Amino acid sequence: MVFHEKYMRRCLELAALGIGNVSPNPMVGSVIVHHNTIIGEGYHQKYGEVHAEVNAVNQVINNFSNYEELLEQATLYVSLEPCAHYGKTPPCADLIIRHKIPNVVIGCRDPFIQVNGKGIDKLKDAGINIMAGILENECKWLNRRFFTRVLKQRPYVILKWAQTADGFIAPKTSTQFWITGVEAKKLVHQWRAEEDAVLIGKNTAEIDNPMLNVRFGNGKSPKRVVIDRKLTLNSSLNIFDNSVQTFIFNDAKMEIDKQNVFIALEDFDRYVPEYILYQLYLQDVQSLIIEGGAKTLNSFITSNLWDEARIFTGNINLNEGIKAPNIIGKTTGKLSIGNDELLFLENEVNRII
């Protein structure tokens, strides 16, 4: 078992390279082993392009003239069950069968209804030896965004805020106030590149006028989401610059204006977080990071619609102001980021593993 785990860990390392680029698909890594030596590896690099198994097989084909013989004696490792249906690309199960790879080791099953055991069954029916469940929890955790979207029909939700040492998120006056240092800002920008969308409330948009992009990180900027019930936000704000798709949730208007998508909710007095998450699910948003303000964060906490929380605590005091959200979760990590402290929490109630 340890032997298989070594190669599955490499699959996970490869799969993680696809973060921020493959949604709404899962992140998947694959290696091909011949006589205890990796002869090919690959990962799903971009949504709509070939899958991990294809890249791994192609590497073997490109590097070895006797690739047919090698593949017929090899074991293919893959972190997620090979697909068995035609989507953006042909089924990976068919590729494995065509190259007569005799052994396949799988991290976890794919919960997507068009796969979910069908890939495994197809390989077994072709006489291929299957071993599944290697580092299963690690494989599921890597794709917690994908699993949440498929199983719960909503995006994976990450809450993020900064609070002062005495527990305030902002001053009472409607003014911009920085609590954390530049190191925290750079980290947040990198987080944005890893998620599909970032959400803020009306007050945050109005006071801070954020760009919500990744100018201090690497990767693509996420889609933007703002809650503006009465559509009172000024159209000159940065979030309306048409640089990326922006969803504006309100109570009256359904319209698309260039990159700005106005979505009217049925009822703005009840179930607002639920309605927002379902609409984003319909828009193929697989993960969402919520950056404030306090009212917006508290609404998702009260509705128990969050999966992770990332809380910065600065080393300054406000003495009075808007209280930081009160949240209960399992502590999964603590870090020092410059002069600030970062706490990671997990919502165990919503954990899909």
Side-chain angles (χ1 to χ4, degrees), residues 192-193 195-196 212-215 219-223 243-244:
R192 290 174 183 169
E195 312 307 334
D196 285 353
L212 300 181
N213 59 20
V214 296
R215 61 194 181 278
K220 70 178 190 301
S221 292
K223 297 177 181 179
S243 60
V244 297

Side-chain angles (χ1 to χ4, degrees), residues 13-14 16 33 62 74 80 98 150 152 167 172 203 222 244 246 266 279 312 327 342:
E13 290 174 355
L14 290 165
V33 178
N62 293 333
L80 188 71
R98 186 168 69 252
V150 172
K152 297 190 175 186
K172 284 185 177 179
N203 290 342
V244 297
T246 300
E266 297 176 16
Q279 288 295 328
F312 291 97
I327 190 169
L342 173 59

